[in-house]
Amino acid sequence: MMIPACRLVDLPRGEAYRLDIDPPVSVFHTDDGEVFAIDDTCTHQDASLADGWLEGCEVECPLHASKFDLRTGAVDAPPAKRPVRTHEVHVEDGMIYVRLSLDAPNLPPCVAARLAGGPA
Amino acid sequence: MRTVAVVGASLAGLSAARSLRKQGYDGRLVVIGDELHRPYDRPPLSKEFLAGSLAEADLALEPDAEDLRAQWLLGVRAVGLDGPRRAVRLADGSEVRADGVVIATGAAARTLPGTDGLAGVHTLRTLDDARALRDELSLGGRLVVIGGGFIGAEVASTAYALGLDVTVVEAAPTPLAGPLGETMGKVVSALHADHGVRLLCGVGVKGLSGESRVEAVLLEDGRSVPADIVVVGVGARPCVAWLAGSGIELDDGVKCGADGRTSLAGVVAVGDCASWYDPRAGLHRRVEHWTGARERPDAAVTALLAGGAVEPSAPRPPYFWSDQYGVKIQFAGHAAGADSVTIEEGARDDRNVLAVYRRSGHPVAVLGMNQPRLFMRWRKQLAAAA
Ligand SMILES: Cc1cc2nc3c(=O)[nH]c(=O)nc-3n(C[C@H](O)[C@H](O)[C@H](O)COP(=O)(O)OP(=O)(O)OC[C@H]3O[C@@H](n4cnc5c(N)ncnc54)[C@H](O)[C@@H]3O)c2cc1C
Ligand code: FES
């Protein structure tokens, strides 16, 4: 599925845009001008990676500082152990589109339980 | 270096083992830990694990595929270190000789004298502690938490959510005044009252009553607080007794330089047991937080492998988090020594503040309550300025 996110001019370098779908997805515009999309929820706990710290192609989680590679989703060190899902990005006529991955998301246990309808 | 022994198989020990491999150490690696468990994460023990929303398997610190090519000696305690030979003596009578030693034995919960063997009384440090406490909390009843520090407050918050009747007893006039200062200690500890958890401050505990099982907590002012379960959260002491006679200098923990080097060549110490020199403050301090135990082993391993030939970089300002009553609390820096605290964002009554501590106008610490984005930016700024 292709989803329009926001206009490229509305997303300055070094910033992130959070797409409020379920689960949410974040689009990052790096200082080098590249655009990436990954799942917004950290795989460790319920934190929004759009609130994190963007440096190069990595975003640092705002809660416990695990870093995720925007290109691959890979995580560097605990407390998070699993990668985040990455999504394909297209820019057309100045609009950023995200093609959602078909893989299952790696949501943290508390969020996964909530989505499954279990206790939060 | 042909053999490195890491003593303590928790966050700091595992991080050191990882750093060794990442920094190219290819020799024999022995990790010694007195718990039977593989390295697991402690912060959830007072939060999601205690609440029952996180399973034991989720506590593992190692991803499934990780292989550090280490020899794991688990369930065996180190009882001594022969300094000159750098031999770690184990409780089973064997020893591990090594060229390099990483001390990562952490800390153990302090207890109250005279409470041994009384059922219903708990401390919380290990997975086994947390299992036992979780089982008791599931029965409900009246919980009294002795100590209003972070662990005590988290247990109170978790137990409140489980439906228990909770009282917190704190000897100091304001809980958390040590780490957070008076002003913000008040704001954060007000979370208890917001949720109807009783907070008794400025009164010490004289003892506990009960024959085989605890019945009440007796306060120094003569009051008696009935209790079905008691959690003693009065801090932790570093596990360094096993180093007596090794020649390693100890003060409150293992005395280290700014890169974790101890007074003995080829031996470094990391995590909750280590008292690192802080060049900015000009003193040694023991930092008992997750992030320090995770990050500092990188520097200590560099120093160990280089044999002291590299200049240590100053450690980053300490950072810790806590989760209480659904509020994400984050703190970085040192509150002691600040001469002002201002709330830069949010409202203290809504418990969503971002507060900055300054000394002579310069930021020295920052506190966030439900302000992850802003907090992150301030924390980076603090680290860059340091
Ligand atoms: C319940 C709880 C909640 C916490 N929550 C937070 C939080 O929210 N945020 C935060 O920043 N920090 C938190 N912390 C602190 C954080 O968990 C610690 O800072 C961290 O675990 C320190 O890691 P460490 O490896 O240095 O020590 P430890 O985790 O204490 O590990 C030391 C290990 O060494 C073993 N050992 C001790 N002596 C010997 C010996 N002689 N021989 C062999 N093995 C030995 C111990 O059994 C233990 O397994 C929490 C701690 C607890 C207990
Ligand atoms: S929530 Fe992201 S590292 Fe913990």
Side-chain angles (χ1 to χ4, degrees):
Chain A
M1 192 172 31
M2 247 338 202
I3 299 180
C6 63
R7 300 193 60 79
L8 187 58
V9 289
D10 294 334
L11 185 61
R13 290 186 184 198
E15 295 284 324
Y17 176 84
R18 204 170 95 114
L19 251 168
D20 274 321
I21 52 180
D22 204 13
V25 164
S26 278
V27 182
F28 292 86
H29 195 179
T30 69
D31 287 326
D32 293 337
E34 288 186 282
V35 182
F36 297 100
I38 61 172
D39 275 350
D40 178 61
T41 310
C42 181
T43 61
H44 176 235
Q45 279 175 17
D46 196 0
S48 163
L49 293 175
D51 284 345
W53 185 258
L54 183 61
E55 202 162 303
C57 275
E58 276 189 334
V59 61
E60 178 178 333
C61 174
L63 292 192
H64 315 126
S66 283
K67 289 181 190 159
F68 296 90
D69 189 316
L70 297 177
R71 295 162 296 195
T72 60
V75 65
D76 74 326
K81 278 176 295 187
R82 294 178 306 153
V84 284
R85 201 165 55 150
T86 57
H87 309 280
E88 234 180 272
V89 169
H90 294 281
V91 181
E92 228 177 274
D93 297 331
M95 189 73 192
I96 303 173
Y97 293 89
V98 174
R99 185 191 293 278
L100 285 186
S101 160
L102 298 175
D103 299 344
N106 284 331
L107 295 171
C110 50
V111 176
R114 192 184 65 215
L115 286 185
Chain B
M1 233 175 248
R2 306 221 326 252
T3 300
V4 174
V6 176
V7 190
S10 181
L11 178 62
L14 175 67
S15 301
R18 279 195 177 131
S19 294
L20 279 159
R21 291 305 189 210
K22 210 182 266 171
Q23 295 186 32
Y25 171 71
D26 206 29
R28 176 170 173 241
L29 178 56
V30 186
V31 185
I32 301 156
D34 65 353
E35 293 184 77
L36 276 169
H37 312 289
R38 298 290 297 196
Y40 59 88
D41 210 20
R42 287 176 212 275
L45 298 183
S46 51
K47 310 176 183 82
E48 302 87 346
F49 179 77
L50 196 58
S53 61
L54 202 69
E56 222 162 285
D58 295 320
L59 298 177
L61 282 171
E62 302 161 285
D64 291 340
E66 179 158 39
D67 179 13
L68 291 169
R69 289 174 289 125
Q71 183 186 346
W72 294 81
L73 304 179
L74 296 179
V76 53
R77 167 173 286 269
V79 292
L81 175 69
D82 180 340
R85 289 171 57 239
R86 267 191 240 104
V88 180
R89 280 198 307 278
L90 305 182
D92 62 8
S94 65
E95 66 170 31
V96 177
R97 285 195 70 167
D99 310 296
V101 176
V102 179
I103 300 171
T105 42
R110 282 182 201 278
T111 52
L112 287 184
T115 58
D116 274 4
L118 202 56
V121 182
H122 297 260
T123 52
L124 180 52
R125 180 82 199 179
T126 65
L127 175 55
D128 298 340
D129 294 342
R131 282 177 183 159
L133 179 59
R134 190 188 53 183
D135 290 350
E136 275 216 309
L137 292 181
S138 71
L139 304 174
R142 293 161 302 183
L143 168 72
V144 177
V145 178
I146 301 175
F150 286 106
I151 303 269
E154 289 174 5
V155 170
S157 146
T158 304
Y160 155 81
L162 290 171
L164 281 87
D165 173 82
V166 185
T167 305
V168 178
V169 182
E170 165 62 48
T174 309
L176 305 171
L180 303 184
E182 263 322 299
T183 314
M184 296 316 294
K186 265 200 193 94
V187 175
V188 172
S189 58
L191 287 168
H192 294 299
D194 292 354
H195 294 84
V197 166
R198 274 180 305 279
L199 174 61
L200 309 177
C201 287
V203 56
V205 168
K206 199 162 65 188
L208 304 180
S209 73
E211 285 298 315
S212 58
R213 190 177 172 91
V214 67
E215 281 164 13
V217 175
L218 309 174
L219 305 185
E220 264 165 359
D221 62 8
R223 276 181 290 177
S224 157
V225 188
D228 303 303
I229 310 167
V230 168
V231 171
V232 180
V234 295
R237 50 173 180 74
C239 297
V240 293
W242 68 281
L243 293 167
S246 65
I248 287 190
E249 216 179 316
L250 306 173
D251 57 9
D252 170 39
V254 183
K255 200 168 176 184
C256 299
D259 54 3
R261 276 189 287 156
T262 69
S263 58
L264 212 63
V267 182
V268 295
V270 291
D272 284 14
C273 69
S275 179
W276 281 36
Y277 182 69
D278 180 341
R280 279 186 297 272
L283 46 81
H284 286 81
R285 35 178 152 222
R286 206 160 59 78
V287 175
E288 291 183 277
H289 310 313
W290 197 96
T291 306
R294 152 69 199 89
E295 290 177 348
R296 290 188 175 187
D298 295 344
V301 160
T302 307
L304 183 69
L305 293 179
V310 289
E311 222 12 70
S313 57
R316 297 210 289 162
Y319 163 59
F320 67 84
W321 72 84
S322 176
D323 300 309
Q324 299 171 28
Y325 305 100
V327 176
K328 289 185 165 59
I329 299 160
Q330 297 174 282
F331 187 88
H334 296 284
D339 52 28
S340 76
V341 185
T342 50
I343 291 179
E344 312 263 324
E345 192 67 51
R348 76 175 74 200
D349 292 340
D350 298 342
R351 321 275 183 236
N352 71 343
V353 298
L354 191 286
V356 177
Y357 298 64
R358 291 185 173 84
R359 183 191 183 86
S360 318
H362 295 289
V364 291
V366 53
L367 168 77
M369 294 174 81
N370 277 345
Q371 293 278 4
R373 183 181 173 85
L374 266 183
F375 178 85
M376 174 106 217
R377 276 137 187 83
W378 272 97
R379 175 157 80 91
K380 291 287 176 186
Q381 203 173 314
L382 208 61

